[in-house]
Amino acid sequence: MKTLKYIVVVLLTVVAFQSCNSDKKNTDQLSGVYQCPMQCEGDKTYEKNVGCPICKMDLQLVEEKVSKTEALGEISDESIFNLTSKWNTEEGTEIQLEDLKGKTLVMVMIYTSCKAACPRLVADMRNIEAQIPKESLNDLQFILVSIDPTVDTPERLKDFAIENAMDDEHWTFLQGSESGVREFANVLSVKYKEISPIDFSHSNIISVFNTQGELMHQQEGLGVDNKETIATILELTS
């Protein structure tokens, strides 16, 4: 009888091991919450499939625990969608940032009368766009936020979009209030200062947000290597 019990235990362990290995092939590339199939440590979970420290078996993806916030349509405290400021698009439509929910966002702050850094930032945004497969553009939105809401009216932003061939659906320009722009700049760690009635000094930062409005990556500088930016976008839109 003891021998029979031993054989059953061994068979169950082998089956669990094979099942775990099979699942590993399908889930190694996924992000989520992992747990030992034998529950050696009870309900303890891991963020990576590092293997159980007790039985050494591969961990399994606990699908029902992955992205609960996203599954429920909730937003975290870190999300820009918590901001309640109102914005005008280049089409004259009033929106809130939460209206952008559901797409990966690539954001930059510029002003249209800029003759120095902003044209380079626009070129950097266009360079990023050029490296994204067309099928992924449907899940992506490029957002250009003006730091000069007085000059950059929706009409001016529309003209600028057309002039720079940035009037496809995946491009959006935003004009906000002075306070809304300042608040948003603080969230992005973008610093800007008016140095004349038509000129600003400002940070040169391109930010990538996931579909829940959480900051995932920032690219700082002009004409810099954007490999990490592209990789982040592709991961979020895959």
Side-chain angles (χ1 to χ4, degrees), residues 111 147 182 191-196 199-203:
Y111 64 105
I147 61 177
R182 182 66 63 185
K191 301 182 185 299
Y192 68 94
K193 180 181 180 181
E194 185 175 2
I195 55 179
S196 79
D199 201 10
F200 292 79
S201 62
H202 58 89
S203 305

Side-chain angles (χ1 to χ4, degrees), residues 147-159:
I147 61 177
D148 187 8
T150 301
V151 172
D152 289 337
T153 62
E155 294 78 14
R156 172 61 191 137
L157 293 175
K158 178 67 173 180
D159 291 341

Side-chain angles (χ1 to χ4, degrees), residues 32-52:
V33 178
Y34 294 87
Q35 191 176 63
C36 174
M38 305 302 292
Q39 294 189 313
C40 294
E41 297 181 280
D43 293 330
K44 184 173 180 179
T45 58
Y46 300 83
E47 293 183 356
K48 295 182 178 180
N49 193 352
V50 293
C52 175

